[in-house]
Amino acid sequence: MNHITLHAQDLDGFLNEDDKKNLDKIEEMYSRTLECCTLLEKNENDEKAREDLVDSQKKIGYELEKITKENKRIHVYSFETPDEMHAECSRLIAKLRSPETGHEEFLYYIQRAYELMFSHTFLDQCLRQKRSIIEKTPVTIPVQNYAVHRIPDCDNMIKDSVMCVMLRGALLPSMIISKEIEDYSSNGYITPFALFKIKRDERRSEKDMDYLLDLDKSFYRLEDLDNKDWIFADPMNATGGSLVTIVKYLKSIGLKPKSIKFINVIAALKGSLRITRAIEEAEVYTLWMDPVLNDRAYILPGLGDAGDRLNGIDTAENPRNMIQLIADYGAQIVNLYRNQVREIEKTVLS
């Protein structure tokens, strides 16, 4: 098979000494959180454990904010936006974390999360630059009515965007960001899509993980990628390995990005640091920063397997392809993102 492989040891080689010290400190702080979790697992009404858990995570939050503010290419919504906006963000993340949130609700909250992240990634930077749109309304009495709306003019930021999709969990988030770009552009710009079949070797631990890029099952056009703004959207940024593998490969075949943006709902500190150290153009945007990874490279406290919660679980013997995944979203999602679906189909089928 035509595979590109990246090893976890190579990723850790990009971290500097300060990064390693910060990661060790956060690991040590999170061990107190796990102690509280152990007590609550035995008795969820243990008030002392609940108070200690709140205190522990508050201290971790302050430390994460301090660390990420020292890295100008890591942008955390809950650290960079006004306090008035944090309650909505925190409640949204809580709903996504909850095991009680079913598939349809999970899709709904992911859509809300990516609308917030699109605003933070693009619109917040051009709020003072506005353009007017004139919209015909359904009201025709006494005459046809028109409304004027002033919206941020972000054309220069989005006009050369291409969505780089790291299947499977990244498919719907990529469609959501592309739809936002279409809605905010002055000409209804539909982003090209580049689709990459990449997975982690789940038999391995976080410390010796391999990342496998299958070129035979990846679909992209070189002309869509060269000297363009590469946008990656994935609900979770755990280790950063998948993104680094793809970007390093694309650069190795001579492609040059204008910029690279990685947009997440939840990111781990380690994955964010690895990406910004390994790729000089990369900027990480995340709604929420979580502190650590477990031995299987899952984010803690995390929300489980975002891909499975978005798409359902595939069997190893019969994994769905991209067209089947889109079909399984149902008519409501397919119709909402019909232009994006058409572009994806064109990329795959051609």
Side-chain angles (χ1 to χ4, degrees), residues 34 40 89 204 211 280 288 316 323 334 349:
L34 290 178
L40 287 173
C89 168
R204 294 175 176 268
Y211 302 86
E280 62 182 3
W288 198 268
I323 304 303
V334 171
L349 297 177

Side-chain angles (χ1 to χ4, degrees), residues 11-118:
L11 279 172
D12 283 337
F14 294 112
L15 299 173
N16 62 39
E17 289 306 312
D18 285 341
D19 293 336
K20 294 173 184 176
K21 288 177 183 176
N22 285 330
L23 289 167
D24 288 343
K25 183 175 183 179
I26 291 293
E27 286 271 3
E28 183 179 348
M29 294 177 73
Y30 197 73
S31 65
R32 178 56 187 151
T33 291
L34 290 178
E35 290 173 9
C36 298
C37 292
T38 300
L39 293 172
L40 287 173
E41 189 176 23
K42 295 175 182 177
N43 177 14
E44 289 191 359
N45 296 318
D46 186 333
E47 287 301 323
K48 179 66 165 59
R50 296 175 77 89
E51 291 173 5
D52 288 348
L53 178 64
V54 171
D55 183 63
S56 170
Q57 297 223 348
K58 187 182 295 184
K59 289 176 179 176
I60 289 171
Y62 290 143
E63 191 64 26
L64 288 172
E65 184 171 5
K66 175 184 169 185
I67 294 168
T68 54
K69 279 188 174 179
E70 292 173 355
N71 188 321
K72 302 302 183 185
R73 290 188 286 125
I74 298 177
H75 308 274
V76 183
Y77 183 95
S78 50
F79 296 159
E80 295 185 344
T81 52
D83 290 345
E84 294 80 5
M85 303 171 73
H86 295 175
E88 178 185 9
C89 168
S90 192
R91 187 58 187 151
L92 198 161
I93 293 293
K95 294 296 289 186
L96 286 167
R97 291 198 201 275
S98 173
E100 303 301 318
T101 299
H103 174 64
E104 288 77 12
E105 262 196 309
F106 195 84
L107 288 176
Y108 166 72
Y109 288 118
I110 285 290
Q111 288 175 288
R112 281 186 56 188
Y114 271 99
E115 288 165 3
L116 287 178
M117 286 310 302
F118 177 82

Side-chain angles (χ1 to χ4, degrees), residues 67-332:
I67 294 168
T68 54
K69 279 188 174 179
E70 292 173 355
N71 188 321
K72 302 302 183 185
R73 290 188 286 125
I74 298 177
H75 308 274
V76 183
Y77 183 95
S78 50
F79 296 159
E80 295 185 344
T81 52
D83 290 345
E84 294 80 5
M85 303 171 73
H86 295 175
E88 178 185 9
C89 168
S90 192
R91 187 58 187 151
L92 198 161
I93 293 293
K95 294 296 289 186
L96 286 167
R97 291 198 201 275
S98 173
E100 303 301 318
T101 299
H103 174 64
E104 288 77 12
E105 262 196 309
F106 195 84
L107 288 176
Y108 166 72
Y109 288 118
I110 285 290
Q111 288 175 288
R112 281 186 56 188
Y114 271 99
E115 288 165 3
L116 287 178
M117 286 310 302
F118 177 82
S119 294
H120 186 50
T121 306
F122 296 100
L123 304 185
D124 287 358
Q125 300 180 49
C126 55
L127 287 176
R128 296 183 182 277
Q129 305 164 34
K130 299 281 183 72
R131 63 181 178 87
S132 297
I133 56 173
I134 299 175
E135 191 64 52
K136 182 189 291 187
T137 82
V139 179
T140 58
I141 299 173
V143 295
Q144 173 65 63
N145 275 244
Y146 296 84
V148 177
H149 294 274
R150 298 280 289 165
I151 66 169
D153 185 356
C154 58
D155 271 355
N156 285 336
M157 298 183 66
I158 61 178
K159 64 180 181 179
D160 290 322
S161 299
V162 54
M163 296 306 306
C164 301
V165 186
M166 303 186 295
L167 297 172
R168 294 183 316 141
L171 184 58
L172 182 59
S174 300
M175 291 162 62
I176 296 169
I177 292 293
S178 178
K179 175 67 171 173
E180 291 294 295
I181 289 173
E182 176 188 3
D183 288 347
Y184 274 92
S185 71
S186 61
N187 60 354
Y189 175 60
I190 310 297
T191 64
F193 281 79
L195 304 129
F196 300 97
K197 179 72 171 179
I198 188 163
K199 65 178 182 178
R200 308 188 312 194
D201 186 345
E202 298 292 352
R203 299 168 299 177
R204 294 175 176 268
S205 68
E206 191 272 321
K207 289 181 171 54
D208 68 351
M209 184 68 69
D210 282 346
Y211 302 86
L212 310 173
L213 172 60
D214 186 346
L215 297 177
D216 291 330
K217 295 182 180 178
S218 297
F219 304 90
Y220 53 89
R221 297 180 290 260
L222 297 179
E223 63 272 19
D224 289 340
L225 289 162
D226 199 28
N227 198 33
K228 298 296 174 57
D229 296 302
W230 300 353
I231 302 175
F232 294 80
D234 197 309
M236 311 293 280
N237 169 18
T239 67
S242 294
L243 183 136
V244 173
T245 304
I246 292 170
V247 171
K248 292 292 186 186
Y249 166 70
L250 293 177
K251 286 186 168 187
S252 75
I253 61 173
L255 297 176
K256 296 180 180 179
K258 280 175 59 182
S259 69
I260 300 172
K261 292 180 174 65
F262 192 22
I263 309 174
N264 317 119
V265 177
I266 295 178
L269 177 62
K270 189 173 190 178
S272 301
L273 289 172
R274 279 170 161 176
I275 287 170
T276 55
R277 302 305 183 206
I279 305 167
E280 62 182 3
E281 304 94 338
E283 303 225 7
V284 174
Y285 293 84
T286 187
L287 194 60
W288 198 268
M289 180 69 70
D290 268 3
V292 298
L293 304 173
N294 65 13
D295 289 341
R296 293 186 56 202
Y298 274 71
I299 298 174
L300 299 181
L303 52 75
D305 190 315
D308 286 351
R309 296 186 71 181
L310 273 172
N311 303 315
I313 300 174
D314 278 346
T315 62
E317 300 77 23
N318 189 30
R320 290 165 292 174
N321 63 34
M322 281 157 276
I323 304 303
Q324 290 169 320
L325 278 175
I326 291 172
D328 282 351
Y329 286 142
Q332 186 172 2

